Amino acid sequence: MIDMTARENRNKGIGSSEEALTEVVDFVITLGVMLLALAVIGIAGYPMLEHMQESGHLQNIEQSFSVLKPNMNKVVYGKAPSQSVELKMYGGRVAITGDSYIIVSMQAWNESSSSIETVSVENNLRMIENEYEETSIAYENTGAWVKYPQGNAVAISKPDISYNQNTLLIPIVPITGTEGISGSGLIRVISESGQLSLERFENVSQVNITMKSDYYTGWESFLNESIGMQITDVDTTNNTFTASRTYNPNIEVLISISPITATLE
């Protein structure tokens, strides 16, 4: 009887040990799965979270330049002597920079000589640009532009070049200033107007626009799709292109030249 009781007790002890061991093994397996899941989330999820944060910052910068454009254009068109616009930086760089320029060449009928003559207007442009990661956003010649890492540029807010019935309006906005700011936080872009001038050309039968710009692909698309110009020449090495259009009947071309001075604070 004693031996049987002892044997039963030993069997119970073995059963309890096996149950405890099973619980420990289950716990270790569960813990391992949890740690593996956390590792996977850490490896795959953090870059995704970082990308989402960068995308949010980039969207905010684009919206800021959508606000910057109409305020800058108030100065361009003489509606305000100066403007101050606040921008938020996220670790990139904002600068007044670039070597962009525009040449407008026209074929116009000269009544005095009864012949077609070539007239042209050209000027430097430059831009206010925010570089963030591998994307750049800029205000250039009354428009706001974004250029992505692949090199393609598009208009965030279209420039004010317009064609209405028999009149083509081309604003030219040279920007002076050499300042640049890097880092994070709030800055101000202050713009002040210069001397606005307007040139008028009548009986124009053909207009050619040649531009050099880091955002030339965006300019190409705009002039082709919105103004109906054909892209006749592209120099990808120098970020330069030429767009052309023939008008029949002849049109009037108005070119406003509005130099502004920009500073960063």
Side-chain angles (χ1 to χ4, degrees):
M1 179 67 68
I2 295 175
D3 291 340
M4 291 179 63
T5 301
R7 191 178 298 114
E8 290 176 357
N9 291 336
R10 283 197 301 271
N11 290 338
K12 289 180 180 180
I14 292 172
S16 300
S17 298
E18 290 178 348
E19 291 177 1
L21 180 60
T22 300
E23 291 179 359
V24 171
V25 171
D26 290 343
F27 174 77
V28 170
I29 292 173
T30 302
L31 180 61
V33 171
M34 292 176 62
L35 291 175
L36 179 61
L38 290 173
V40 170
I41 292 172
I43 294 172
Y46 179 75
M48 185 181 296
L49 181 62
E50 189 176 43
H51 176 71
M52 291 175 62
Q53 186 179 46
E54 290 176 359
S55 298
H57 292 339
L58 182 58
Q59 186 176 16
N60 290 338
I61 295 171
E62 291 181 5
Q63 290 175 350
S64 296
F65 271 75
S66 295
V67 174
L68 176 69
K69 176 214 165 178
N71 283 276
M72 292 287 290
N73 288 352
K74 288 180 181 178
V75 178
V76 168
Y77 299 124
K79 295 180 180 179
S82 65
Q83 286 285 291
S84 176
V85 180
E86 194 173 75
L87 298 180
K88 187 172 183 179
M89 298 179 61
Y90 298 91
R93 175 176 171 81
V94 176
I96 303 160
T97 183
D99 57 357
S100 57
Y101 63 78
I102 184 172
I103 302 171
V104 182
S105 176
M106 295 159 283
Q107 300 291 319
W109 177 257
N110 188 325
E111 293 184 355
S112 299
S113 61
S114 297
S115 62
I116 295 176
E117 63 177 14
T118 300
V119 291
S120 63
V121 176
E122 59 183 278
N123 217 314
N124 294 326
L125 296 174
R126 305 181 76 239
M127 60 188 171
I128 300 171
E129 184 177 53
N130 188 329
E131 294 181 332
Y132 175 71
E133 297 297 335
E134 297 180 347
T135 302
S136 55
I137 303 96
Y139 169 85
E140 181 181 64
N141 205 39
T142 72
W145 310 87
V146 58
K147 184 174 68 173
Y148 298 105
Q150 298 83 1
N152 294 324
V154 297
I156 301 172
S157 183
K158 293 181 180 180
D160 291 348
I161 297 177
S162 62
Y163 176 62
N164 183 17
Q165 296 180 347
N166 296 320
T167 302
L168 176 63
L169 172 64
I170 304 175
I172 296 179
V173 184
I175 300 177
T176 58
T178 56
E179 296 184 45
I181 297 177
S182 300
S184 300
L186 295 176
I187 67 168
R188 286 190 175 276
V189 179
I190 301 172
S191 57
E192 297 181 351
S193 63
Q195 183 64 43
L196 171 65
S197 62
L198 182 66
E199 298 190 35
R200 180 180 177 183
F201 304 89
E202 297 181 328
N203 294 320
V204 176
S205 59
Q206 184 178 31
V207 177
N208 300 311
I209 297 178
T210 298
M211 286 191 68
K212 173 180 173 62
S213 170
D214 289 345
Y215 301 83
Y216 75 96
T217 55
W219 278 105
E220 286 177 354
S221 298
F222 168 75
L223 291 174
N224 178 251
E225 296 170 6
S226 299
I227 309 300
M229 289 188 157
Q230 299 298 314
I231 308 303
T232 58
D233 184 64
V234 179
D235 182 353
T236 57
T237 301
N238 296 305
N239 296 339
T240 306
F241 74 95
T242 298
S244 179
R245 180 173 174 178
T246 299
Y247 297 90
N248 186 16
N250 294 351
I251 65 169
E252 179 182 55
V253 178
L254 299 177
I255 300 179
S256 64
I257 302 176
S258 309
I260 60 175
T261 301
T263 56
L264 304 176
E265 292 183 353

